[in-house]
DNA sequence: GCTGTGCAAATTGTATGCAATTTCGATATC
DNA sequence: GATATCGAAATTGCATACAATTTGCACAGC
């Protein structure tokens, strides 16, 4: 039993810091923890009933995947990606995701497609619901579509990269999103799935590229005044 | 001063676990630490004159980037990638590196090109030298070409991904390489740089793709009997 | 001689204690 | 009243102690 490969993203249930990481990750992704929020070791430890050692390990992992930023002797904070970081995140996705779609076309099964349709229908439900809880679920579901695709593509390394990119994209959308979540994105998910089902790798990859462009176009990534501080002081 | 962004790959000199990570990383990359070697916390700690806490943090980072594999209650070992992992590593590189070349064409400066030529000439020297030290230096230099390219491309996230992929590639080549390092790879580095210098993004990206194929083709990635254990037991 | 059991050594997992650093408020001074 | 300075509280960095688990050897039994 222990000989079976384990996908790198499934948390080892025995490792407590991994479980904490997962929980915090989810909280960050669906915006219950806002960018900039401080995550002190003692607080996290108390919350999960573990020592600072374990809490610290979890925060270190989150730091490694860019969801948390730690400053020496100051502590860990939920990442607050700059517009430049946001651009890099989406540039990375533009590079990787068309390839993932292409690989997925080769490997997707009838069962996979059924699960995708289920997922998309659930996503749809959240779009029509009102309230912050539905909004959170919608964001999560929207990202999950991309992650499921990465999972089907069958490359554990790319899957991990996508885990990171999708999670960080959530942060970016939370910070710079204009219209909450672009609901046009949802119909694109359906369209991409259709093209994949038909085996049209070229068009599917192309639509994925446009889809990512659309998500990024919905952001307000103004340079944010590189000279911000000076200006603020001058006018204040 | 502290307002300046810091590239994610430059180690914080104050953070001792980061320095240890870098040292171990280099030792793994140029094969002074063979795949499978055990890295016990106490040993690492003693070697760098720090407590297990710090050593453990370094090993955790290396685990995260796939260079080390830790088994619960057993310890950390230098990764021993399977043929399947090897294929995934190169598949990932095929996806990412052409894009990096394309981005590099846009951003490379005359100074960068000069530095690249220096680097390639040094690489050439190691190829002609004999002995294991030269071999190690050659492997390192060969990977550095790809990392310099990633650095010029100006995307810190992709750069980190490439850091990981190139490091893990070293392990794969150490394990499965037929001819040490494919020396044809070196001339391809020159050719890629030439195309980049001329601004021919399309051909440069294409050659990079072929270059990666050539590296992978030099490997002996036999399926290694996926049913290994059962068969061994049946025949024994 | 071979196999199975059990104990001891070694190693990791976790908690905790102390030192170093930062933060924030109180107080003194202008 | 505003500002600068000092000091206490809080927080992180790191080392160490102890518990839990694994490993390997020794020894008994066959």
């Amino acid at each position: 039993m222990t000989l079976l490969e384990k996908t790198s993203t499934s948390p080892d249930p025995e490792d407590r810091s991994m479980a904490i990481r997962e929980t915090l990750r989810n909280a960050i992704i669906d915006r219950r923890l806002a960018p900039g929020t401080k995550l002190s070791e003692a607080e996290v430890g108390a919350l999960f009933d573990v020592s600072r050692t374990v809490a610290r390990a979890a925060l270190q992992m989150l730091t490694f995947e860019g969801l948390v930023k730690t400053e020496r002797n100051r502590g860990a904070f939920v990442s607050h990606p700059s517009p430049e970081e946001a651009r890099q995140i989406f540039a990375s996705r533009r590079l990787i995701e068309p390839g993932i779609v292409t690989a997925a076309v080769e490997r997707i099964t009838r069962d996979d497609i059924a699960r995708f349709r289920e997922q998309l229908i659930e996503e749809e439900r959240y779009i029509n619901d009102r309230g912050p809880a539905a909004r959170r679920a919608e964001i999560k579901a929207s990202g999950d579509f991309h992650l499921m695709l990465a999972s089907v593509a069958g490359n554990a390394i790319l899957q991990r990269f996508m885990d990171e990119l999708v999670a960080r994209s959530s942060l970016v959308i939370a910070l710079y999103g204009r219209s909450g979540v672009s609901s046009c994105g949802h119909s694109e998910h359906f369209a991409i799935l259709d093209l994949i089902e038909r085996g049209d790798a070229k068009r599917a990859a192309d639509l994925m590229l446009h889809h990512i462009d659309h998500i990024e176009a919905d952001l307000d990534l103004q340079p944010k005044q590189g000279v911000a501080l000076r200006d603020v002081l001058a006018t204040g």
Side-chain angles (χ1 to χ4, degrees), chain A:
Chain A
M1 206 57 81
T2 60
L3 290 176
L4 291 173
E5 265 315 306
K6 187 165 278 186
T7 77
S8 72
T9 49
S10 84
D12 203 64
E14 318 237 320
D15 211 351
R16 294 195 279 169
S17 60
M18 203 70 108
I20 295 173
R21 168 194 165 217
E22 279 296 314
T23 303
L24 289 180
R25 230 180 98 88
N26 283 330
I28 292 172
I29 287 174
D30 63 17
R31 304 197 199 177
R32 281 170 311 191
L33 287 173
T37 306
K38 167 144 198 193
L39 301 172
S40 89
E41 299 177 358
E43 191 184 352
V44 171
L47 205 55
F48 292 91
D49 199 46
V50 295
S51 75
R52 276 180 51 214
T53 307
V54 176
R56 189 185 178 85
L59 292 173
Q60 263 176 303
M61 290 191 267
L62 290 167
T63 299
F64 233 82
E65 56 187 329
L67 289 182
V68 157
K69 192 157 188 155
T70 69
E71 296 170 40
R72 184 173 178 92
N73 282 319
R74 294 230 27 249
F77 306 83
V78 178
S79 281
H80 191 302
S82 67
E84 174 57 21
E85 279 178 282
R87 270 187 286 270
Q88 294 186 0
I89 289 168
F90 282 97
S92 304
R93 292 185 63 167
R94 270 193 293 271
L95 207 52
I96 292 175
E97 295 208 58
I100 283 183
V101 167
T102 304
V105 167
E106 304 282 320
R107 306 185 27 124
I108 202 164
T109 67
R110 223 175 292 275
D111 267 15
D112 290 330
I113 291 176
R115 279 189 295 115
F116 270 93
R117 292 219 184 282
E118 260 180 59
Q119 164 72 14
L120 287 182
I121 285 167
E122 185 168 328
E123 196 181 325
E124 200 158 45
R125 201 175 62 234
Y126 294 128
I127 292 175
N128 296 327
D129 283 2
R130 299 284 157 219
R135 227 41 339 105
R136 283 202 298 265
E138 179 190 353
I139 294 169
K140 182 75 159 55
S142 168
D144 281 349
F145 174 78
H146 293 258
L147 293 182
M148 285 173 70
L149 226 42
S151 148
V152 169
N155 185 324
I157 297 169
L158 289 178
Q159 196 178 338
R160 190 156 47 75
F161 289 170
M162 283 304 303
D163 273 351
E164 173 175 336
L165 290 172
V166 168
R168 296 179 73 172
S169 295
S170 288
L171 273 180
V172 167
I173 294 170
L175 281 170
Y176 304 108
R178 260 191 261 265
S179 61
V181 186
S182 51
S183 47
C184 78
H186 176 67
S187 63
E188 285 174 346
H189 286 180
F190 265 117
I192 290 170
L193 182 58
D194 282 347
L195 288 169
I196 290 175
E197 189 174 9
R198 280 188 236 154
D200 192 341
K202 182 76 179 58
R203 281 208 191 123
D206 229 59
L207 182 51
M208 175 59 88
L209 208 54
H210 282 115
H211 175 53
I212 297 170
D213 282 341
H214 290 162
I215 299 175
E216 190 174 5
D218 186 57
L219 303 177
D220 184 22
L221 295 179
Q222 21 154 338
K224 204 62 172 236
Q225 309 325 333
V227 278
L229 185 57
R230 186 183 325 196
D231 282 1
V232 168
L233 295 180
T235 59

